[in-house]
Amino acid sequence: MPQEWPDPLTSAIAIIGSGPAGLITAHTLLQDGFSQVQILTRDSTVGGVWAADRVYPGLQINNVHGEYRFSALKMPPAEGGRLTGHDLRAYMEAFSQRFQHIIRFNTEVVHIRRDETTSLWYISLQDKITSTLEVLVFDRVVLCTGGCSTPNIPQPLSVAAATQAGFQGPVIHSMNFASQIDRILESTTNIKVLTVIVGGGRSAQDMAAYLANQGRKVKVVFEMADAILASPSPLPAFVRKSRLLSIFFGYSILRSRLERFLHTTRLGAIITGSFWSTLSAASLASLSVPNDSPLRNIRSLFWTTSTNDEGVPNPNRFHALVNAGKIELVSPARVRGFTPGGKCLTLSDGHMVDADVVLLATGHASSWTGLFDENTANELGINRHPPGSASSAKSYTEWDNYRSLANPPKSRPDSVKWAATIYNGIVPAKNITRRDFAINGASFTANVGYSCEVQAHWISSYFLGDQMSIPKTPEEAYERAERDAAWVRKRHPDALLRWPQYTDHLLEEMGLSSMRSGGNWLTWPFKIIDVKEIANLSEERRQSRIGAEPKP
């Protein structure tokens, strides 16, 4: 007999964040019968990083059409197959229309506390318009604040540091570029006014391209830019939307003979290395990047998680504008801060760069810091810790036979590395048996819509108390989370990345079939991954829950 669990209708659930992860989590929970669901967001519109006040002209994402789509709503065609920030803003707003009534906008989550006596969650809120404070009570919480909601601003480049140095111009983080764009344009109408952008990632490049196309004088300073993926014509779907790239990328579990060949044999490692080297060289060639250009000062496609998928070259995009002399580059260089007198930025090599406006594309900090009270953070086990500390000191040798991982690039020092014991990137290991807290959207992925939707179903099954192949004790969850963190440090020391194999794992833990794209031993790597594959997950999970076979 299936195990009986409490009626989901009695459970009040708070979803914090209205980006893609928050929206699909709400949709899935409602679909499964959780009627008391509320989304709390500090934004005035849905979309998270794609909210209306964050999207600016020229903002282009790294995903092709379909990779931000959910199974319940088709995505309108995008010009050239490439999605813009405005495309995603419109799609997220359309998707949320069916449950707009459960979204509470302009609401800042100030503090989260779990009462250990009652097991209830107390969330302190502040209305951003009226400054009114209140506390709401929930049974469960899903954290969907992602990794792009809190700007990371180095103190030497902060507004306070600029003011102290006497710098008179605007200092603006990329997160606020859209809301400050009129101010920036007004400040740079004089052709002699120089805007310096700090950073070499996607945001830096998009801002630089937009300003250059507006006739502004732009200089970009960076140590190393993101890796580049580009081609003279759109990559065929059987390459760009299949498992092919992820298979060549490698994963902690090698499920197929092909993957084991590519990553554990000498010949396979040579083929893997040649594949990525050829793809990188072809991308640079398609963008006509000269051999002596700072644009070649980029990360490795194979080792990094920071890749700009440029698609087909465009004369109004960053690389073409650099080649045309409309954007100046200073690289490799790190900006140390403002010079006394506030006229220049000083670089790590001792040189200085004139600056009238400074835009910071310096990334984002954790959105969790300071959100939970100390006791709740400790009880959850959500805090980060240095790798190798205390019980995380176990050495993992199971990937030593991965010949494809030989000769890695220089790793970051241990002092700036971190580990988090979050099982599957969804549940803090210490909290695994309580089934009252989860995270969606903290694991970066190449296919956001598919991954977040599968995670949402996993979370719903977890809250419902479904039979799942997950750890039964915090100790077991901790060990498996530490193993995953060790893999990430070995494979990608800078970020958490989940490829299609990650969603396969989640599906299998729910007792569902994985690798749904079809094909045989020869063709499966080339089969297109489509979010339609998971359109019936709720019904499949329901049938599994009552012990029946899923309907065809």
Side-chain angles (χ1 to χ4, degrees):
M1 292 291 293
Q3 187 170 353
E4 294 293 332
W5 295 95
D7 185 347
L9 298 180
T10 66
S11 183
I13 304 177
I15 297 175
I16 303 173
S18 62
L23 296 180
I24 191 59
T25 299
H27 169 79
T28 303
L29 291 174
L30 292 171
Q31 191 177 38
D32 281 352
F34 291 94
S35 61
Q36 298 184 58
V37 178
Q38 187 167 40
I39 296 177
L40 307 173
T41 177
R42 67 185 183 186
D43 296 324
S44 58
T45 61
V46 299
V49 71
W50 312 114
D53 61 353
R54 298 190 195 177
V55 174
Y56 51 87
L59 178 59
Q60 182 174 325
I61 69 169
N62 279 323
N63 300 69
V64 294
H65 186 271
E67 290 184 338
Y68 257 96
R69 184 200 153 187
F70 303 128
S71 64
L73 181 67
K74 291 184 178 180
M75 180 176 283
E79 183 178 353
R82 306 298 302 183
L83 292 168
T84 68
H86 290 290
D87 292 330
L88 281 185
R89 174 194 59 76
Y91 182 79
M92 295 301 162
E93 289 179 355
F95 183 77
S96 68
Q97 287 303 309
R98 67 195 70 186
F99 50 86
Q100 190 86 0
H101 61 285
I102 70 167
I103 306 175
R104 183 163 174 174
F105 294 106
N106 299 304
T107 302
E108 188 83 45
V109 175
V110 179
H111 189 257
I112 301 175
R113 177 179 67 87
R114 182 172 62 187
D115 187 297
E116 289 305 310
T117 302
T118 63
S119 294
L120 294 174
W121 293 87
Y122 292 82
I123 301 183
S124 301
L125 309 171
Q126 182 175 36
D127 189 294
K128 291 181 64 177
I129 297 176
T130 65
S131 297
T132 304
L133 297 172
E134 66 176 306
V135 177
L136 298 182
V137 183
F138 295 91
D139 299 295
R140 293 181 171 92
V141 172
V142 186
L143 189 61
C144 300
T145 54
C148 299
S149 59
T150 304
N152 175 45
I153 301 178
Q155 193 283 326
L157 296 176
S158 64
V159 173
T163 301
Q164 185 176 5
F167 184 76
Q168 301 296 315
V171 178
I172 298 169
H173 190 271
S174 59
M175 178 177 170
N176 301 314
F177 184 70
S179 61
Q180 297 291 317
I181 199 164
D182 290 339
R183 178 188 176 198
I184 294 169
L185 293 176
E186 290 173 3
S187 301
T188 55
T189 52
N190 189 318
I191 60 173
K192 294 183 179 180
V193 172
L194 175 62
T195 299
V196 174
I197 300 176
V198 181
R202 170 102 266 172
S203 296
Q205 296 179 14
D206 280 348
M207 291 190 298
Y210 175 76
L211 293 175
N213 284 320
Q214 298 298 313
R216 272 41 176 192
K217 187 178 179 183
V218 183
K219 183 176 291 188
V220 183
V221 183
F222 60 91
E223 280 192 296
M224 187 172 288
D226 290 347
I228 301 169
L229 185 63
S231 57
S233 59
L235 288 174
F238 72 83
V239 173
R240 184 61 180 80
K241 293 185 177 183
S242 70
R243 294 172 177 269
L244 186 65
L245 295 180
S246 67
I247 288 170
F248 272 100
F249 220 70
Y251 192 59
S252 59
I253 300 173
L254 301 176
R255 298 168 178 262
S256 66
R257 290 183 180 180
L258 176 59
E259 290 169 287
R260 290 191 289 274
F261 167 74
L262 290 174
H263 297 285
T264 65
T265 69
R266 182 174 179 274
L267 177 59
I270 292 173
I271 294 173
T272 298
S274 297
F275 174 85
W276 289 107
S277 296
T278 301
L279 193 59
S280 179
S283 296
L284 291 168
S286 70
L287 293 169
S288 302
V289 177
N291 290 332
D292 59 350
S293 172
L295 288 175
R296 289 185 176 266
N297 185 27
I298 57 175
R299 296 176 173 85
S300 162
L301 265 177
F302 177 68
W303 288 102
T304 189
T305 60
S306 300
T307 299
N308 286 346
D309 188 342
E310 294 294 324
V312 178
N314 184 315
N316 294 321
R317 299 293 299 158
F318 176 76
H319 294 84
L321 293 169
V322 171
N323 290 340
K326 296 181 179 180
I327 297 174
E328 184 180 350
L329 304 181
V330 179
S331 177
R334 175 182 286 271
V335 177
R336 285 184 176 271
F338 296 90
T339 59
K343 298 294 184 182
C344 303
L345 294 171
T346 180
L347 306 182
S348 54
D349 61 4
H351 288 85
M352 292 183 291
V353 174
D354 293 337
D356 300 294
V357 175
V358 175
L359 302 181
L360 304 175
T362 48
H364 296 80
S366 171
S367 59
W368 305 347
T369 304
L371 198 58
F372 299 90
D373 75 351
E374 184 176 355
N375 288 336
T376 298
N378 290 333
E379 287 296 327
L380 273 178
I382 200 171
N383 291 330
R384 297 174 175 179
H385 59 79
S389 65
S391 58
S392 66
K394 179 177 178 179
S395 177
Y396 293 86
T397 60
E398 59 188 288
W399 305 296
D400 289 351
N401 67 331
Y402 279 42
R403 295 193 176 212
S404 61
L405 300 185
N407 304 312
K410 185 177 179 181
S411 177
R412 298 188 303 169
D414 289 343
S415 60
V416 298
K417 292 180 180 178
W418 57 268
T421 48
I422 311 295
Y423 179 71
N424 280 345
I426 299 176
V427 179
K430 191 174 181 179
N431 204 65
I432 191 74
T433 60
R434 299 189 65 155
R435 301 203 183 207
D436 68 345
F437 178 84
I439 302 164
N440 194 349
S443 299
F444 294 99
T445 173
N447 194 326
V448 176
Y450 195 108
S451 180
C452 285
E453 187 162 341
V454 172
Q455 289 180 71
H457 282 279
W458 193 101
I459 291 168
S460 186
S461 282
Y462 177 69
F463 283 172
L464 282 166
D466 289 350
Q467 296 293 334
M468 303 171 72
S469 300
I470 62 175
K472 296 192 172 42
T473 65
E475 292 75 19
E476 184 185 352
Y478 191 94
E479 169 62 26
R480 289 169 67 172
E482 285 294 289
R483 174 189 176 276
D484 187 56
W487 163 254
V488 170
R489 292 194 299 274
K490 184 177 183 69
R491 186 65 185 84
H492 303 292
D494 292 329
L496 294 174
L497 185 75
R498 311 287 185 177
W499 283 78
Q501 296 96 322
Y502 168 65
T503 54
D504 292 341
H505 172 71
L506 296 183
L507 289 166
E508 290 167 0
E509 286 193 337
M510 288 184 278
L512 306 176
S513 63
S514 61
M515 298 178 66
R516 295 165 170 251
S517 305
N520 55 36
W521 69 271
L522 179 63
T523 63
W524 69 270
F526 305 97
K527 301 298 288 186
I528 297 171
I529 298 172
D530 195 309
V531 74
K532 291 186 294 184
E533 302 168 6
I534 56 175
N536 296 318
L537 283 190
S538 287
E539 175 61 16
E540 291 181 40
R541 290 169 42 240
R542 189 186 72 82
Q543 294 292 339
S544 178
R545 191 177 306 123
I546 63 176
E549 289 295 326
K551 295 179 181 179

